Structure formats: C-alpha cells, structure tokens
Amino acid sequence: MVDEGTRKTLSSIPLLKTKAGPRDKELWPTRLKEEYQALIKYVQNNKEADNDWFRLESDKTGTKWFGKCWYVHNLLKYEFDLEFDIPVTYPTTAPELALPGLDGKTAKMYRGGKICLTDHFKPLWARNVPKFGIAHAMALGLGPWLAVEVPELIERGVVKYQEKSDEAK
Amino acid sequence: MANIEELKKKIVELEAKLKVAQGNVGPVREKIDVMSSEVVDSNPYSRLMALKRMGIVDNYEKIRELSVAVVGVGGVGSVTAEMLTRCGIGKLILFDYDKVELANMNRLFFQPHQAGLSKVDAAAGTLQSINPDVAIDAYNYNITTVDNFQNFCDTISTSSLTGGPVDLVLSCVDNFEARMAINTACNELNQRWFESGVSENAVSGHIQFIVPGETACFACAPPLVVASKIDEKTLKREGVCAASLPTTMGIVAGFLVQNTLKYLLNFGNVSHYLGYSALTDFFPTMALKPNPQCDDSFCRQRQTEFKAKPVVELATEVKEDSTPIHADNEWGISLVDENTPEEETSNLKLVDGVQVAYSIPVDNSTPETSSGGAVAASELSLEELMQQMKSM
Ligand SMILES: [Zn+2]
C-alpha cells in the first residue's frame, strides 16, 4: 500500500468535484479552477511543512502543463523540468507526468521521460475519479518517484549538481 | 575543405546508404492488379487464394477492399501491420508518435538502420516494399491530446478505400491512457475494434473484440489480467518499468490478426476475449457482456441501441458465423476475484484464470482521502487563480 507519509499528504489536498475533461467545453473551465485551487493549497501545505518541491503552470486551455520540480539530496538542490498534457480521457485516466531531461537515463521511465508509476497508483486513481486531480498525481506519483530515483541517479553519476542562479526563488 | 572528388565519393556512399534505408536493393515486388490463385513463383497471393479452393474462406480477394487502422506501431502493432500487409489488406492506417530506437531491437520488425526515424514512416517504407498493393497512410502523433484526438476520430471515420469509416481499428498501444482514448473514440463513432495487450512482465497477453453496445467496452470493467501464476509479492519491479519479449508480442499479434481475418472475411469464430499465459501455456477465452452502468455514456447509448434492434436483424447480421455467445460455459465459469465487490461485477462473468487488475468500490467512497475536504467554490476567476499559482 501507499506509505503513511504519502497518505497523509494526499489527505490534506482538497478533493475535486467536477468530472470533466478538456473536450467538455462547458465544464472544463470549472474543473480547471478546481485543479488550480487544489494545487495552490498543496503548494501552501508544502511551504508550511518546509517541503516546497514543485511549481506548475498551464497554457490558457489548461491542457498543456509545465514547470519545475526539485529534490534536495545531501543539502544540494537538484532541479528538473516537468511537463505533461491533459489527455482527452482525463480525469478517468491520470496525466502522464514527464521529466524530459531524464529521458533515457533511468529504466524507471517510459519513452519521452514519462515516469514509471507504482502498482498502487492506478487502482488508487481509478477509485478516486473524479476527486483526484493534478495535485494528487504529483503527490502520489512524482513525489515518491523523485524520492526513490533521484538519489540513485546521483549515486550513479547520471545526474550532477549544477550551480545556477536561483531566479525561480 | 573537401575537394570535389571526395564530395562525389561521399555522395555515392550516401546514395548507397539511402537505398539500403529505403529497402531498394535487389528485386522489387511490382504491383499486382487482381489477386489470382495461379501458382507461379512471382505470385505472392497463390497460397492465400488457396484458402478459397480449400473452402476455408469464401471470398479471400475481398480483403483488397478492406481497411484497417493500427494504433501503436510497436512490438505488437508493427508485426500486426506486417501480417496484414502480407495478407494483401486493401489499406492500412498507422498511428504512433514514437521513434525507432536501438532499444527496440529485442522486438520484431524494425531494423537498426531505421533508428531515429518515426515508427510510422519506417514501417510504411518497409511495408510498402513488401507489398506495394497496400495503400498506407501514416500519422505521427499522440492520439490522447485534444487536437490530435479530433483528427484521429475524423481519420478513422473517413479512411476506408471509399472514404467511409475503416472496417476495423486495432489497438496495439502499450498504455492505459491511449486504450481509453481509442475506447472513447470507438464508442462515439460506433466503430468496431480489437484491443490487444502484453503484460508489463512480458509473460501474458490478451486480445478483446469490442462491438460498441454489444460486447463489453474497455471502460465497462477495470482492466483484465490473465493470471500469470507469479505471486505479485515476489515480482521484482525495482529498477525497471516493463519487460518485453518478441515471442509474447509475436503470439499476441498472431492472435490479433487471426481474429481480424476471421472477422473481416467471415470465417470461423471470432473470440470476444482470448488470453495467453506464457508460463503455463494457458489460453482462456470468454464472451464479455457490456456493463449497463458503464462510465462511458456512449457505451450506455450503444447498449440501448443494440437492445432496441429487432432480433431478426440481429440474426441476419450474425449470418452463419455462429459464434457461441456463451462459449465461456464450456470453460467452466466463473471465479471472480474475491476482492471484487459482488454488485459491480455481477454482469462481468470472467472465465477462470482471468481477473480484474483492481476493483472499484461501488459507492465510490474514498477512505484514502477522507480528511482533505473538497475544494470550496472560489471567488477568484480562473485567470486570477492562474496568476496566484504563478506568483507563489
Ligand atoms: Zn462500456
């Protein structure tokens, strides 16, 4: 099952209400508002817990998302570009989160840098349609993935620390 | 800078490489207007037309009028497309957004010199040289995004040789999202299709025939899995996403095309569901009825339409193809996964050895997330929320 920490994180993210995908012209804007509300709350929670670890934004249609996520290992911050599309079958199917910069560097990825999810993710997502949104996918999918994979990537020397100007704050 | 002689030499070299890449070396198979059963060493159709003489297929050459869309041209889809090409299918419509990689070389069909090409273009080139009689359209995009999905729907509803809907869609994709997208499209378009898949541990697979409203659609139940006799707890997934074997993929492609031919050319029985467990050489088959509570509204609409059809029409539609709808009985039904709530799967009679991948509680209550609360209606507009998120 999902570990206790992830479960707790998940339960503090507000649930969404509107079952609508991007093809639903009428209801999609409502769903999108809920997505942003849940994401804002999640980022606030993270900041309060001193565990701020991603930023996301979307295009106007809310179907293309991009941003950054980072992971702190031995006091160094490793940052990765993050992107995904909202599939036409959303929210029945979860978005496929991708870290294109790591494509080909780990076996725990599908083509295009899409992260490989645990066996828990799909059943849990399916049971929570339409209440789970992007914030939940981040907490349940990407968070645990980074925690397992990034230390391993650093250890193998595939990912190296890069000193950079911290414009993202 | 290189002199002209060197450049000329380079051109000759590159032209040779290009020829190899295009498969233009050696004899070229010319187009053939009419399929004949004449046995000469230049006729690739004589053994296929022999099916007619032997009484297996009534009208083999009808295949030249038929069109099939293959979605996903990977380990299963490429082999599927090659089999249909060699069988002389009228038209193939290929969809994939991926490129050929050297990492794909444990699978059939693609060759190292094609690395870097889009899978659909590389496949179209090879298939065209194998059989120039086949019309091939290639679409290099991801069908699950909003814009591409519309184009996908438009394409499968207008790409037959006469400009109508294709005769069959074959799903050879490797992920849940794309399968659901195909399911959505086919329910909306009332398009018959086959779903196919190989498990991530590479030792089981399945095909499923979906006639909207008449057989279970892909959304009617959680994904089905063939029991692999491997204890999930001992299955090590650390360090890898998925395994793949050319054997399992080839077998599933063979099942898929065999049933495609039976359906298109109207011979034998078409399996609604055919599973394959490699470790035990176990092949469960069953019929699958649609779920009246299916999540897909178009599936429910097609079910209503199907029920409203007069029985007589149904009888003529089935023709002499007497597929035993309840063929599952002879296999001894039906152990439903004990973790599955009764209400939800009462309609889903699964044959022994096939299970749902997971269950979905009927009441949809979510013990996992009870304390989070729901999003409250926001005073802010979408633009303001976007701005707030951006400035965090
Ligand atoms: Zn259905």
Side-chain angles (χ1 to χ4, degrees), chain B residues 183 187 215-221 290-291 294-296 299-300 303:
Chain B
N183 191 61
N187 276 336
T215 70
C217 88
F218 190 68
C220 276
N291 176 0
C294 180
D295 206 34
D296 186 314
C299 174
R300 299 195 304 270
Q303 290 182 48

Side-chain angles (χ1 to χ4, degrees), chain B residues 2-319:
Chain B
N3 64 35
I4 291 173
E5 281 312 306
E6 280 173 340
L7 287 172
K8 276 185 178 166
K9 219 176 120 190
K10 191 77 189 165
I11 288 171
V12 173
E13 257 177 55
L14 289 172
E15 276 178 345
K17 274 190 183 168
L18 186 63
K19 270 190 179 173
V20 174
Q22 293 173 329
N24 283 349
V25 219
V28 175
R29 148 86 150 81
E30 302 292 344
K31 284 197 180 197
I32 297 169
D33 276 341
V34 181
M35 273 191 174
S36 104
S37 54
E38 191 192 0
V39 181
V40 285
D41 58 6
S42 61
N43 181 8
Y45 295 126
S46 59
R47 297 287 185 182
L48 293 166
M49 294 293 278
L51 289 166
K52 232 171 111 170
R53 288 193 177 178
M54 289 182 172
I56 304 290
V57 182
D58 284 344
N59 191 10
Y60 190 86
E61 61 267 38
K62 186 181 165 223
I63 200 167
R64 301 272 311 245
E65 299 158 20
L66 302 175
S67 54
V68 173
V70 178
V71 191
V73 190
V76 174
S78 61
V79 178
T80 295
E82 177 173 348
M83 286 178 178
L84 288 168
T85 297
R86 292 185 188 274
C87 285
I89 191 79
K91 183 172 176 183
L92 281 177
I93 303 98
L94 309 176
F95 298 87
D96 202 303
Y97 67 94
D98 212 7
K99 284 189 164 65
V100 180
E101 285 176 31
L102 290 175
N104 301 146
M105 294 306 139
N106 71 318
R107 283 152 248 182
L108 304 171
F109 188 76
F110 289 115
Q111 302 200 8
H113 68 80
Q114 293 171 314
L117 298 176
S118 78
K119 282 186 177 172
V120 286
D121 288 338
T126 305
L127 298 172
Q128 206 69 88
S129 75
I130 290 171
N131 188 345
D133 301 333
V134 181
I136 300 175
D137 287 350
Y139 295 87
N140 185 20
Y141 59 61
N142 176 357
I143 63 159
T144 70
T145 66
V146 179
D147 296 343
N148 294 337
F149 183 75
Q150 192 51 53
N151 187 284
F152 173 67
C153 290
D154 296 344
T155 304
I156 59 175
S157 41
T158 57
S159 287
S160 79
L161 287 167
T162 52
V166 296
D167 294 288
L168 199 61
V169 172
L170 304 180
S171 166
C172 303
V173 298
D174 61 0
N175 65 85
F176 183 65
E177 294 73 22
R179 286 188 176 92
M180 280 302 246
I182 296 167
N183 191 61
T184 302
C186 290
N187 276 336
E188 287 184 23
L189 299 169
N190 207 2
Q191 169 71 53
R192 294 172 178 217
W193 65 292
F194 271 95
E195 134 74 5
S196 75
V198 174
S199 64
E200 293 204 323
N201 64 14
V203 289
S204 67
H206 70 273
I207 62 163
Q208 185 180 340
F209 185 36
I210 299 173
V211 182
E214 196 176 331
T215 70
C217 88
F218 190 68
C220 276
L224 301 177
V225 290
V226 182
S228 61
K229 298 252 166 111
I230 296 178
D231 185 352
E232 286 296 324
K233 288 176 204 101
T234 66
L235 185 62
K236 294 193 178 67
R237 296 215 1 167
E238 267 85 81
V240 280
C241 270
S244 72
L245 276 170
T247 46
T248 313
M249 291 178 157
I251 287 164
V252 169
F255 279 153
L256 180 62
V257 178
Q258 198 78 289
N259 278 277
T260 295
L261 292 172
K262 288 192 288 183
Y263 168 69
L264 291 176
L265 298 175
N266 198 24
F267 66 101
N269 297 334
V270 179
S271 287
H272 285 184
Y273 182 97
L274 169 56
Y276 167 52
S277 164
L279 300 185
T280 50
D281 278 342
F282 172 55
F283 305 86
T285 61
M286 62 182 162
L288 279 171
K289 290 242 177 72
N291 176 0
Q293 275 94 49
C294 180
D295 206 34
D296 186 314
S297 65
F298 278 94
C299 174
R300 299 195 304 270
Q301 186 185 323
R302 299 297 168 223
Q303 290 182 48
T304 311
E305 289 165 7
F306 177 67
K307 279 195 197 115
K309 271 190 198 170
V311 182
V312 188
E313 191 196 328
L314 182 71
T316 52
E317 213 180 56
V318 175
K319 284 179 190 161

